[in-house]
């Protein structure tokens, strides 16, 4: 005797292959019926896309996009429109969950005791496939670098083709999240490729038209890499209307790159396509692909943007692969990560000496090695400067190279005005990159240009809402402005989005509490500060504020004994806080001699406020080339 599956007002009859709602029939295509039946037999759990494809199509090759179309058809048939009561929930990149309370009854006597779906027959029939439009398959012969280039171009353009038809206020920016590529090759050694393609896709889309399209940054989306999160939850977390899901598979001796553009509000698929490429081939993607798509969206792009999209950017495929491996290690934090990143970036530049982006990242990792003592400081900084200068000579319009030159001017040259120019240039070239925005924001704040700093910081947060650094940059700006309550809230937000974020937030909170004359609160925060010199610095300030001068002197003595060569600026702020003016200026002079990068905040550092009326302070600002 067959079973009936009931959920809400619906009844699903596998024997008659019918779906009814309150005794009224609901039309479903045969394959859509099979999908719903499988979901109804497996409620309240994550059903992977692969599991559904196997159960309904029995191992036949089916484009993943077709499954998404059936899910969309089912949602419409079920009237599944509300986020709060949605029956079929998309779990990003993984599959679906049927959230209904399903009961099972015997078809011959619906009054009999109902059974759980787990007791129902497991097999599904395999009727002939319904006529559903197939997602177009696109075969090209290219290297991995060529595959990614074509994939990125077509993803960008297909996305814009759909975005172009969306009605919205002229001032409202469309927000898109590119979820991390799933490495479905079965080869864990291809993880670097999946992560690299995620970053490349984000970068390509964020450059397309930043005034109309905002693309969430890598930091915020990578948190979903190993999590099963509902698509509507991701939409709320990131404030996006659209999500691009991506996958990387092996198909024989080819790599298959898959993309699906999904509208969050109703979880419908707008566009899907698979791209297959020979991974070992050296042929490059033909320019006609980019040119043809650029014609489709020319109304959305300036003539310069159209020209950029159609300009060939040849990169040696092995160099591109080495760059992606270097980028993978660059996202790490250990000394070994730094050395491996340097090795791969250097190999990329050797394989393709004209690869400007690889030179820019080689500069960054050389600076990392120098700062961490992995190479001699002078040598590392020299190599870093040479690499970024090479990048700029190869591509004067490379935003990453300008941002890195800004870091060198800021940290090595003491040229804060020059650093500001470099950061502003990076923002002008790539206004959709949040890292450049908050670098420019902090530099503007150090100049006292707070309105600009706040504007840039908030733009960075819009594009990277789950990045603690973005929130902390805003909190630091607000500290300089004297907006202490806001600074506290945003430092706490940084800890909320990243509970392990214990670098800047406890330091900022300690300083805020001191300025609010809440030294006991500062004392509690200092316990979470892991960097010994800053911990001693904050203890010296806080104990003084508490009237515990002996303990303050002990902390100051520790700084003077152990860290005088690297933390002269912090020592100066202690003396200024204690109203020991001459000692404060003495240590500011030492900080200048030591090339202490913290001097860049001299103008706005609230702990130096007691020095502002001294003529020596204006002279120091002039010497530092900071606006008075």
């Amino acid at each position: 005797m067959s079973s009936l599956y009931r959920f809400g007002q619906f009844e699903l009859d596998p024997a008659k292959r019918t779906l009814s709602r309150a005794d009224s029939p609901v039309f479903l295509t045969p394959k859509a019926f099979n999908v719903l039946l499988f979901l109804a037999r497996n409620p309240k759990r994550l059903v992977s896309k692969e599991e559904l494809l196997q159960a309904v199509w029995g191992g036949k090759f089916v484009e993943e996009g077709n499954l998404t179309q059936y899910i969309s058809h089912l949602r419409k048939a079920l009237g599944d429109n509300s986020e709060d009561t949605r029956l079929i929930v998309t779990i990003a990149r993984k599959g679906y969950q049927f959230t209904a309370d399903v009961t099972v009854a015997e078809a011959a006597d619906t009054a009999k005791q109902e059974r759980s779906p787990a007791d129902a027959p497991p097999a599904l029939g395999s009727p002939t496939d319904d006529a559903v439009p197939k997602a177009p398959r696109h075969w090209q012969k290219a290297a991995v670098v060529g595959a990614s280039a074509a994939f990125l171009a077509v993803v960008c353009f297909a996305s814009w083709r759909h975005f172009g038809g969306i009605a919205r206020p002229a001032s409202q920016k469309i927000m898109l999240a590119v979820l991390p590529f799933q490495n479905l090759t079965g080869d864990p050694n291809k993880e670097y490729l999946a992560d690299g393609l995620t970053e490349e896709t984000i970068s390509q889309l964020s450059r397309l038209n930043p005034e109309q399209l905002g693309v969430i940054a890598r930091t915020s989306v990578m948190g979903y890499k190993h999590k099963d999160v509902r698509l509507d939850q991701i939409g709320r977390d990131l404030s996006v209307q659209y999500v691009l899901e991506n996958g990387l598979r092996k198909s024989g001796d080819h790599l298959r790159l898959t993309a699906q553009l999904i509208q969050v509000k109703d979880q419908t698929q707008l566009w899907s396509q698979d791209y297959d490429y020979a991974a070992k081939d050296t042929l490059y993607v033909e320019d006609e692909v980019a040119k043809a798509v650029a014609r489709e969206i020319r109304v959305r792009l300036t003539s310069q943007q159209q020209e950029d999209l159609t300009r060939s950017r040849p990169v040696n495929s092995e160099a591109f692969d080495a760059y992606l491996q270097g980028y993978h290690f660059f996202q790490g934090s250990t000394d070994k990560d730094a050395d491996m990143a340097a090795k791969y970036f250097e190999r990329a530049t050797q394989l393709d000496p004209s690869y400007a982006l690889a030179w820019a990242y080689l500069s960054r990792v050389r600076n990392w090695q120098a700062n961490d003592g992995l190479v001699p400081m002078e040598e590392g900084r020299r190599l870093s400067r040479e690499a970024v200068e090479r990048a700029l000579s190869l591509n004067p319009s490379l935003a990453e190279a300008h941002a890195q030159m800004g870091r060198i001017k800021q940290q090595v040259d003491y040229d804060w005005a020059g650093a500001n120019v470099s950061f502003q240039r990076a923002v002008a070239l790539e206004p959709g990159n949040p890292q450049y925005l908050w670098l420019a924001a902090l530099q503007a704040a150090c100049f006292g240009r707070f309105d600009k700093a706040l504007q840039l910081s908030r733009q960075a947060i819009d594009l990277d809402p789950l990045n603690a650094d973005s929130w902390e940059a805003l909190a630091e700006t607000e500290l300089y402005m004297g907006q202490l309550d806001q600074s506290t809230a945003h430092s706490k937000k940084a800890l909320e989005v990243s509970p392990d974020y214990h670098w800047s937030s406890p330091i900022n909170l300690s300083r805020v509490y001191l300025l609010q004359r809440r030294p006991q609160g500062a004392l509690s925060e200092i316990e979470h500060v892991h960097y010994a010199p800053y911990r001693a610095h904050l203890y010296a300030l806080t104990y003084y504020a508490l009237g515990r001068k002996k303990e303050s002197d002990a902390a100051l003595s520790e700084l003077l004994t152990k860290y005088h060569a690297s933390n002269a600026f912090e020592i100066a702020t202690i003396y200024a806080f204690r109203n020991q003016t001459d000692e404060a200026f003495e240590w500011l002079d030492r900080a200048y001699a030591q090339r202490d990068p913290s001097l860049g905040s001299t103008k706005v550092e609230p702990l130096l406020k007691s020095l502002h009326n001294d003529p020596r302070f204006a002279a120091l600002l002039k010497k530092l080339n900071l606006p008075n």
Side-chain angles (χ1 to χ4, degrees):
M1 192 172 291
S2 64
S3 303
L4 297 176
Y5 295 83
R6 291 173 174 167
F7 47 94
Q9 295 179 295
F10 292 96
E11 185 174 273
L12 191 66
D13 187 335
K16 297 179 181 177
R17 297 187 60 79
T18 59
L19 173 69
S20 60
R21 179 175 188 172
D23 297 327
S24 298
V26 178
F27 172 75
L28 293 179
T29 64
K31 273 294 183 288
F33 183 91
N34 283 358
V35 172
L36 179 59
L37 180 58
F38 190 82
L39 291 173
R41 287 175 174 171
N42 295 275
K44 306 289 188 179
R45 76 171 180 86
L46 169 61
V47 176
S48 70
K49 294 175 182 178
E50 290 76 11
E51 189 178 357
L52 261 176
L53 289 169
Q54 177 64 35
V56 177
W57 280 271
K60 291 174 60 180
F61 174 77
V62 179
E63 300 284 358
E64 188 177 298
N66 286 340
L67 173 59
T68 312
Q69 292 181 50
Y70 286 116
I71 294 292
S72 179
H73 172 50
L74 285 173
R75 286 193 175 117
K76 292 177 181 177
L78 297 171
D80 199 9
N81 299 318
S82 169
E83 285 187 11
D84 297 330
T85 60
R86 182 160 287 148
L87 297 178
I88 304 175
V89 170
T90 300
I91 306 299
R93 307 180 310 126
K94 299 296 180 64
Y96 305 95
Q97 185 180 57
F98 195 61
T99 64
D101 293 318
V102 179
T103 57
V104 183
E106 300 294 348
D109 184 357
T110 58
K112 286 186 178 180
Q113 184 177 5
E114 295 177 335
R115 298 183 286 120
S116 74
D119 299 324
L124 282 177
S126 300
T128 305
D129 282 340
D130 3 326
V132 175
K134 304 291 184 182
R137 296 174 62 190
H138 177 77
W139 291 82
Q140 288 278 356
K141 195 178 183 186
V144 171
V145 59
S148 67
F151 170 71
L152 292 171
V154 179
V155 164
C156 295
F157 305 143
S159 302
W160 270 100
R161 183 182 61 205
H162 289 282
F163 292 154
I166 297 168
R168 68 187 192 283
S171 60
Q172 183 178 339
K173 182 185 291 188
I174 294 167
M175 297 300 295
L176 167 74
V178 179
L179 294 185
F181 271 72
Q182 285 185 282
N183 176 18
L184 302 173
T185 64
D187 181 0
N189 293 323
K190 286 287 187 288
E191 203 66 30
Y192 78 92
L193 181 58
D195 289 350
L197 288 174
T198 302
E199 174 65 20
E200 290 294 300
T201 305
I202 291 170
S203 295
Q204 182 83 345
L205 282 163
S206 65
R207 288 192 294 265
L208 202 60
N209 193 328
E211 292 183 359
Q212 296 178 14
L213 174 65
V215 183
I216 299 298
R218 180 188 190 277
T219 310
S220 289
V221 298
M222 289 305 286
Y224 298 107
K225 182 174 173 65
H226 299 297
K227 294 180 181 178
D228 299 335
V229 184
R230 290 173 53 146
L231 196 68
D232 51 3
Q233 183 62 51
I234 292 174
R236 289 190 291 270
D237 290 347
L238 302 178
S239 299
V240 296
Q241 297 92 42
Y242 300 91
V243 163
L244 192 66
E245 288 190 343
N246 309 282
L248 179 67
R249 292 178 172 83
K250 289 190 72 174
S251 177
D253 60 348
H254 288 69
L255 286 175
R256 170 168 293 154
L257 302 170
T258 302
Q260 293 186 86
L261 181 65
I262 301 171
Q263 185 170 253
V264 172
K265 69 177 181 180
D266 54 7
Q267 300 184 20
T268 56
Q269 179 199 78
L270 300 180
W271 167 83
S272 175
Q273 192 158 348
D274 284 359
Y275 306 87
D276 293 79
Y277 297 92
K280 296 181 180 179
D281 211 304
T282 56
L283 295 178
Y284 208 70
V285 173
E286 300 173 63
D287 290 340
E288 283 72 14
V289 175
K291 292 176 183 176
V293 185
R295 283 195 296 270
E296 291 185 36
I297 60 167
R298 62 185 180 274
V299 296
R300 287 286 180 186
L301 299 176
T302 66
S303 57
Q304 182 61 53
Q305 288 168 332
Q306 292 181 51
E307 182 182 340
D308 289 343
L309 289 170
T310 57
R311 184 185 300 128
S312 176
R313 296 178 178 85
V315 175
N316 177 286
S317 61
E318 292 183 19
F320 180 69
D321 189 72
Y323 164 77
L324 290 182
Q325 296 202 56
Y327 188 84
H328 175 75
F329 285 106
F330 187 76
Q331 300 308 309
S333 58
T334 68
D335 292 350
K336 183 179 179 182
D337 289 328
D339 290 340
M340 291 299 291
K343 171 186 171 183
Y344 279 110
F345 287 141
E346 187 168 26
R347 175 166 173 75
T349 61
Q350 290 169 348
L351 289 166
D352 187 350
S354 66
Y355 197 174
L357 187 60
W359 282 107
Y361 271 94
L362 180 59
S363 173
R364 292 191 67 180
V365 78
R366 292 300 190 205
N367 201 48
W368 176 4
Q369 291 176 310
N371 289 337
D372 281 11
L374 304 179
V375 298
M377 176 71 78
E378 187 175 340
E379 177 189 1
R381 287 181 167 176
R382 175 181 59 82
L383 292 172
S384 178
R385 189 186 300 274
E386 289 174 356
V388 74
E389 287 175 348
R390 181 70 175 272
L392 285 169
S393 69
L394 289 166
N395 185 356
S397 297
L398 182 62
E400 184 61 51
H402 285 282
Q404 174 58 8
M405 182 58 81
R407 295 184 187 96
I408 291 175
K409 289 178 178 178
Q410 184 184 62
Q411 299 168 17
V412 180
D413 297 344
Y414 262 32
D415 180 7
W416 288 287
N420 187 56
V421 170
S422 292
F423 293 146
Q424 292 294 336
R425 179 62 176 151
V427 169
L429 289 165
E430 288 192 26
N433 187 309
Q435 186 177 102
Y436 306 155
L437 289 166
W438 61 257
L439 281 171
L442 285 175
Q443 191 61 59
C446 287
F447 282 2
R449 298 168 184 162
F450 294 128
D451 288 347
K452 183 67 172 178
L454 287 177
Q455 175 196 346
L456 292 167
S457 292
R458 287 165 180 156
Q459 286 176 336
I461 287 171
D462 286 344
L463 294 169
D464 209 359
L466 301 186
N467 185 350
D469 284 334
S470 295
W471 288 102
E472 196 53 56
L474 177 58
E476 189 171 346
T477 296
E478 290 164 337
L479 170 71
Y480 292 150
M481 296 176 68
Q483 296 181 356
L484 301 182
D485 289 342
Q486 295 94 318
S487 183
T488 299
H490 292 136
S491 276
K492 289 181 177 179
K493 180 67 176 180
L495 289 169
E496 178 187 326
V497 301
S498 183
D500 296 327
Y501 187 76
H502 286 303
W503 169 241
S504 297
S505 291
I507 296 172
N508 194 69
L509 286 169
S510 298
R511 285 155 53 85
V512 168
Y513 293 148
L514 275 173
L515 295 170
Q516 290 178 325
R517 299 183 181 181
R518 298 164 58 192
Q520 201 61 50
L523 204 59
S524 299
E525 286 298 330
I526 297 171
E527 296 175 6
H528 302 296
V529 176
H530 300 312
Y531 186 52
Y534 284 3
R535 193 166 56 246
H537 169 240
L538 291 167
Y539 273 134
L541 294 165
T542 303
Y543 285 136
Y544 185 83
L546 286 165
R548 295 158 62 174
K549 188 173 183 300
K550 185 176 180 180
E551 290 163 289
S552 176
D553 288 344
L556 176 57
S557 178
E558 180 184 354
L559 266 178
L560 291 170
T561 303
K562 295 181 180 179
Y563 309 113
H564 63 275
S566 58
N567 291 83
F569 183 81
E570 283 71 35
I571 294 171
T573 63
I574 295 169
Y575 282 122
F577 189 71
R578 293 164 58 142
N579 293 309
Q580 294 175 257
T581 304
D582 291 340
E583 290 87 346
F585 278 111
E586 176 189 342
W587 280 95
L588 286 171
D589 287 339
R590 290 195 186 193
Y592 183 82
Q594 293 171 7
R595 317 290 287 180
D596 190 328
S598 297
L599 275 170
S601 63
T602 298
K603 178 181 178 180
V604 294
E605 172 54 64
L607 295 173
L608 296 177
K609 192 171 183 179
S610 65
L611 308 181
H612 286 192
N613 293 328
D614 193 302
R616 289 174 288 182
F617 190 75
L620 177 62
L621 292 182
K622 184 175 181 180
K623 184 163 69 170
L624 294 173
N625 198 25
L626 290 170
N628 197 337

